[in-house]
Amino acid sequence: MVIAISVQKLDHYFGQGQLRRQVLFELKLAINTGEIVIMTGPSGSGKTTLLTLVGGLRSVQSGSLQVLGQEFRGATPQQLTQARKHHGYIFQAHNLHGSLTALQNVKMGLELHRELAPAEMKARSIAMLEQVGLGEHINYYPDALSGGQKQRVAIARALVNRPKLVLADEPTAALDRKSGRDVVNLMQALAKEQGCTILLVTHDNRILDVADRIIHMEDGILGYCQLNQKLESSY
Ligand code: ADP
Ligand code: MG
């Protein structure tokens, strides 16, 4: 099986001088193509930091991080921007633009794909909104949508470019039980259909069953855990 994400001896630090503090410690992780991996762990343990590194949203300082076959350590900002074309990123808060309609927000997901004609962008975005059950709401502004609907727009925006990799940071945190469930089911179905790899951070125990594998971050150290099994360190 082809490895989608490979992490070796990855450290990360925040701050300068005396304030410099290590937040990730010698992480080691391999995720296969098509795998759905959930990362759990307490607040402040380093989950978002790892996700943003994998997403090419911050630079790798030490160790190795390969994403979709590309080494991110030493990559230029241009190379990272290029790499992000293959990613769909779903944030905890939906991060929609309030001044744009659902359709315009989803089209933003195609902004790195300048080769597409405007009509094609529009058609793809509408089809994606229909797939997430928002075909009737394409011209609504975020304020007129519920929390679950907004998060579904954010998912449509992340998936509209048919990414090879989906990174989701607590995508259900702001949702009620039913909307949260709907959102992960949707992500799972779309991922399986498009054959993409998913790395999802969550505190939400109710959605763990969508994962092929669960990993656990604690104080910047990654461990592996199975449901109902004791946490086991990776070393
Ligand atoms: P999690 O997502 O698991 O809650 P984070 O990755 O956001 O954890 O944070 C890990 C640690 O790094 C925390 O102690 C946090 O305060 C710190 N941190 C996160 N982002 C920054 C930043 N931009 N500058 C300085 N410290 C940060
Ligand atoms: Mg976080």
Side-chain angles (χ1 to χ4, degrees):
M1 198 175 274
V2 185
I3 305 278
I5 302 172
S6 170
V7 177
Q8 296 282 349
K9 284 190 168 285
L10 185 73
D11 293 328
H12 198 81
Y13 300 82
F14 282 119
Q16 300 287 327
Q18 285 200 322
L19 295 176
R20 183 169 143 106
R21 196 165 65 84
Q22 187 165 2
V23 296
L24 298 181
F25 297 83
E26 293 202 22
L27 302 189
K28 182 176 183 325
L29 174 67
I31 296 179
N32 291 320
T33 299
E35 211 179 1
I36 300 182
V37 174
I38 285 186
M39 178 164 44
T40 62
S43 184
S45 58
K47 305 181 300 297
T48 295
T49 305
L50 175 58
L51 215 62
T52 52
L53 284 163
V54 173
L57 297 168
R58 59 174 85 251
S59 298
V60 176
Q61 298 167 343
S62 128
S64 167
L65 169 62
Q66 286 176 22
V67 180
L68 304 175
Q70 186 185 355
E71 176 60 61
F72 277 11
R73 171 109 188 255
T76 64
Q78 291 81 351
Q79 286 170 327
L80 291 180
T81 302
Q82 192 65 22
R84 286 202 298 273
K85 274 192 177 190
H86 304 291
H87 304 171
Y89 211 110
I90 300 163
F91 299 90
Q92 173 170 359
H94 51 78
N95 284 66
L96 299 180
H97 291 267
S99 60
L100 301 180
T101 64
L103 177 57
Q104 290 166 332
N105 268 288
V106 173
K107 280 202 299 198
M108 296 280 292
L110 292 169
E111 65 171 355
L112 292 171
H113 290 256
R114 303 236 180 260
E115 72 279 5
L116 291 177
E120 165 75 13
M121 285 193 179
K122 184 173 175 188
R124 257 215 224 179
S125 302
I126 291 173
M128 195 67 231
L129 279 163
E130 284 169 353
Q131 251 186 304
V132 300
L134 291 175
E136 310 279 295
H137 296 80
I138 61 173
N139 293 319
Y140 282 52
Y141 287 91
D143 274 353
L145 298 172
S146 71
Q149 288 171 329
K150 280 187 274 216
Q151 196 60 305
R152 280 189 276 154
V153 176
I155 288 173
R157 180 182 56 186
L159 297 181
V160 70
N161 67 351
R162 296 171 195 152
K164 294 189 184 123
L165 176 63
V166 172
L167 301 168
D169 199 349
E170 313 210 22
T172 64
L175 305 180
D176 62 53
R177 182 190 180 86
K178 165 88 171 58
S179 314
R181 189 73 233 178
D182 288 350
V183 157
V184 288
N185 285 350
L186 189 68
M187 283 178 59
Q188 184 185 34
L190 292 172
K192 292 295 174 195
E193 190 184 307
Q194 299 182 2
C196 73
T197 307
I198 298 187
L199 177 56
L200 188 159
V201 169
T202 191
H203 276 122
D204 189 348
N205 288 330
R206 301 168 310 196
I207 65 169
L208 297 181
D209 60 289
V210 305
D212 296 316
R213 187 152 56 104
I214 297 166
I215 59 178
H216 189 78
M217 181 84 87
E218 197 135 349
D219 295 333
I221 295 172
L222 258 188
Y224 296 84
C225 65
Q226 304 266 296
L227 286 175
N228 307 322
Q229 280 186 14
K230 168 163 138 286
L231 178 67
E232 200 183 307
S233 167
S234 54
Y235 307 104

